[in-house]
Amino acid sequence: MTDKEGTGKKRKRHVICMASDFFYPNTGGVEEHIYNLSQCLIKRGHKVIVITHSYGQRHGIRYLTSGLKVYYLPIRVFYAQCVLPTMICNIALIRYILLRECIEIVHGHSAFSVLGHEVSVIAKLLGLKTVFTDHSLFGFADTSAVLTNKYLQVCLCECDHCICVSHIGKENTVLRANVKAHKVSVIPNAVDAYSFSPDPSKRDPNVITIVIVSRLVYRKGVDLMAAVIAEMCPRHPKLRFIIGGDGPKMWLLQEVREKLGLQDCVTLLGSLKHSEVRTVLVKGDIFLNTSLTEAYCMAIVEAASCGLKVVSTKVGGIPEVLPESMIYLTDPNVGSLMIGIEKAMKDIQQGNILCPFECNLKVRKMYNWMDVTRRTEIVYNKIMKNKNKCLGEQLRSYLTCGVWPFLLVISLMYLLLQLCEKIHKRKHIDIAKDLKL
């Protein structure tokens, strides 16, 4: 495959499997990352497929833009859009897909994705290369964090390379998963700045509109969001809030709006398709992010690309994302957020703001998916040089995690793969025939 960028060098064509519980029609940063990275890899000549679980009536094989092939496996969701971590129940089906598609690299996404880890472990037992991208930060103290971190450590001990979306995310992953720092690269997310373009004509000049687009969960700081709305609306009569997104904390915003009679000031749009986000963003002057933890935050980049002033809590990797001229960073408390919003409002009223189209050009230069793809290709080329380990060497690696029962799980998975080889040998897998799920 020749390089179209005029360097004269030949690029190796890879066959890649993106694996995660989180993919379209579900919406979120992980889903968008997988889709856009896959599309750019296909444009650069690679073959890419996606493995995820079924969503409602969507199961079997579907084809998306540019011929992206998606396997919606008939596996039921257990909790929070993730499957049950059985490790062995789907081994025959996953093996068949990996061999049938002639996969070389399995790229798992999200620490919370059970399916992504399961496909990666099976891939290592088949002698394939594996990459993992961590999209989030996680704690160390509570019981769920301890269990999740130990599970992540076990699943990543044989991973060829890890990718994090921010430097603070890299530090977090290295600590909680006990991964060697030289095996972790930082490749940020990106945004399609051409799709998220400004349109100042959509703004209401008589009021200042604050837009919030977020999943309404505790981690996104919905409690702070509700408290800020309750304080700011009575103080500033010409302030309006437009909130897009849904989640278990929606009731809190509805309660604040009803109790304080803010129906004219606060608009709740509910769940949005990703294609509808830009239409909402261009109506605003300020974008508010109240996250309590965040590895990167795609939403603030999309808002900046649309020319909005961004007010955000300075948690996790957020301070790394945008320059100071495009964002007001605050502490994660109500008082600090209110100061940040009022400062942004004052700058807007005095005209001390960047041109929306200039903001879009800056974001276009800082973050684009082709740059992310090229950097990911470097990781793929690097891991293809790694030597495969035999079962004994892999078991010794898993032993270092201190979870001895997992050695039995890996051994059982290996035996099941050998049984599958006897029943359905690799040479009998017809890669020219569509798989019937």
Side-chain angles (χ1 to χ4, degrees):
M1 181 172 62
T2 57
D3 196 335
K4 296 179 182 179
E5 296 169 5
T7 60
K9 296 180 180 179
K10 287 188 177 181
R11 289 186 281 111
K12 179 175 173 56
R13 180 179 185 269
H14 299 298
V15 185
I16 305 147
C17 170
M18 301 289 179
S20 181
D21 282 294
F22 310 109
F23 194 65
Y24 295 142
N26 199 41
T27 56
V30 177
E31 293 85 346
E32 186 184 350
H33 182 103
I34 296 172
Y35 177 79
N36 285 307
L37 178 59
S38 299
Q39 291 295 324
C40 290
L41 285 168
I42 291 172
K43 287 179 181 178
R44 288 180 65 81
H46 304 284
K47 176 184 175 182
V48 185
I49 69 163
V50 178
I51 293 180
T52 187
H53 60 71
S54 60
Y55 280 90
Q57 297 301 315
R58 182 173 295 198
H59 54 82
I61 297 174
R62 300 292 178 97
Y63 288 89
L64 305 185
T65 307
S66 301
L68 176 61
K69 192 175 186 178
V70 185
Y71 286 86
Y72 290 95
L73 305 188
I75 309 173
R76 304 192 73 174
V77 172
F78 173 64
Y79 175 74
Q81 292 297 339
C82 292
V83 300
L84 185 68
T86 62
M87 302 303 289
I88 60 172
C89 291
N90 310 302
I91 198 166
L93 182 56
I94 292 171
R95 170 190 173 271
Y96 187 93
I97 294 171
L98 295 179
L99 296 181
R100 178 183 181 278
E101 298 291 346
C102 302
I103 299 299
E104 299 172 340
I105 300 169
V106 169
H107 192 159
H109 291 264
S110 181
F112 304 103
S113 173
V114 173
L115 184 60
H117 294 310
E118 188 173 318
V119 176
S120 296
V121 172
I122 294 170
K124 289 307 296 182
L125 291 172
L126 290 172
L128 309 180
K129 310 302 181 187
T130 58
V131 180
F132 169 76
T133 297
D134 198 352
H135 295 263
S136 57
L137 301 179
F138 212 60
F140 300 88
D142 56 283
T143 305
S144 63
V146 172
L147 293 174
T148 302
N149 292 343
K150 180 56 69 173
Y151 179 67
L152 185 63
Q153 180 185 351
V154 169
C155 293
L156 293 188
C157 69
E158 271 297 294
C159 186
D160 289 289
H161 204 84
C162 295
I163 298 172
C164 293
V165 294
S166 64
H167 292 280
I168 196 71
K170 175 179 177 178
E171 293 178 14
N172 184 261
T173 300
V174 168
L175 287 173
R176 65 192 176 104
N178 198 24
V179 181
K180 294 178 181 178
H182 72 269
K183 291 178 63 176
V184 184
S185 299
V186 177
I187 303 176
N189 272 321
V191 64
D192 184 358
Y194 295 94
S195 297
F196 287 89
S197 57
D199 187 357
S201 64
K202 299 295 183 181
R203 298 177 182 177
D204 187 342
N206 300 315
V207 298
I208 292 180
T209 304
I210 298 177
V211 174
I212 302 170
V213 178
S214 169
R215 288 192 299 272
L216 302 181
V217 296
Y218 174 77
R219 184 175 69 84
K220 293 294 186 179
V222 181
D223 300 271
L224 289 176
M225 195 187 300
V228 166
I229 291 171
E231 292 287 338
M232 293 292 292
C233 286
R235 187 181 299 187
H236 301 280
K238 290 190 175 182
L239 190 63
R240 300 291 182 268
F241 283 86
I242 299 177
I243 303 173
D246 202 355
K249 284 278 188 176
M250 171 66 89
W251 68 269
L252 183 58
L253 298 177
Q254 292 173 335
E255 185 178 75
V256 168
R257 190 175 72 156
E258 295 298 326
K259 281 189 175 181
L260 300 180
L262 302 176
Q263 288 85 351
D264 295 334
C265 301
V266 181
T267 303
L268 300 176
L269 301 177
S271 181
L272 295 175
K273 296 178 181 178
H274 190 259
S275 58
E276 300 171 337
V277 172
R278 186 253 178 191
T279 306
V280 176
L281 288 176
V282 294
K283 295 178 181 178
D285 302 285
I286 299 170
F287 183 83
L288 179 61
N289 174 55
T290 58
S291 294
L292 302 178
T293 175
E294 201 75 67
Y296 177 85
C297 194
M298 183 86 75
I300 65 173
V301 183
E302 293 173 345
S305 181
C306 289
L308 280 71
K309 298 295 287 184
V310 178
V311 179
S312 174
T313 51
K314 51 180 178 181
V315 297
I318 289 178
E320 304 175 27
V321 178
L322 294 173
E324 292 183 1
S325 60
M326 300 176 69
I327 188 170
Y328 299 86
L329 294 172
T330 71
D331 294 323
N333 59 66
V334 176
S336 184
L337 282 166
M338 289 175 62
I339 292 172
I341 293 171
E342 289 175 344
K343 187 176 179 180
M345 291 171 61
K346 184 178 179 181
D347 286 345
I348 290 171
Q349 291 166 348
Q350 294 178 351
N352 298 328
I353 56 174
L354 291 173
C355 169
F357 297 97
E358 186 180 340
C359 291
N360 182 267
L361 288 173
K362 284 189 173 184
V363 172
R364 194 180 300 177
K365 291 177 181 178
M366 287 188 293
Y367 301 111
N368 67 80
W369 283 111
M370 273 303 178
D371 180 56
V372 171
T373 304
R374 283 189 287 267
R375 294 166 71 175
T376 306
E377 278 182 340
I378 295 172
V379 173
Y380 291 161
N381 294 333
K382 181 180 177 181
I383 65 171
M384 289 304 291
K385 299 175 184 178
N386 293 352
K387 293 183 179 180
N388 293 328
K389 294 181 180 179
C390 64
L391 178 62
E393 291 174 327
Q394 290 191 41
L395 290 176
R396 277 192 289 272
S397 297
Y398 288 117
L399 188 60
T400 60
C401 300
V403 186
W404 289 25
F406 197 74
L407 298 181
L408 298 176
V409 176
I410 295 296
S411 300
L412 179 58
M413 292 175 71
Y414 179 80
L415 292 174
L416 289 174
L417 286 171
Q418 295 303 308
L419 179 61
C420 291
E421 181 66 26
K422 294 290 184 183
I423 297 173
H424 202 181
K425 293 184 178 181
R426 298 189 185 202
K427 64 181 180 181
H428 292 158
I429 295 177
D430 183 4
I431 63 173
K433 189 196 311 181
D434 284 337
L435 178 65
K436 304 296 183 181
L437 289 180

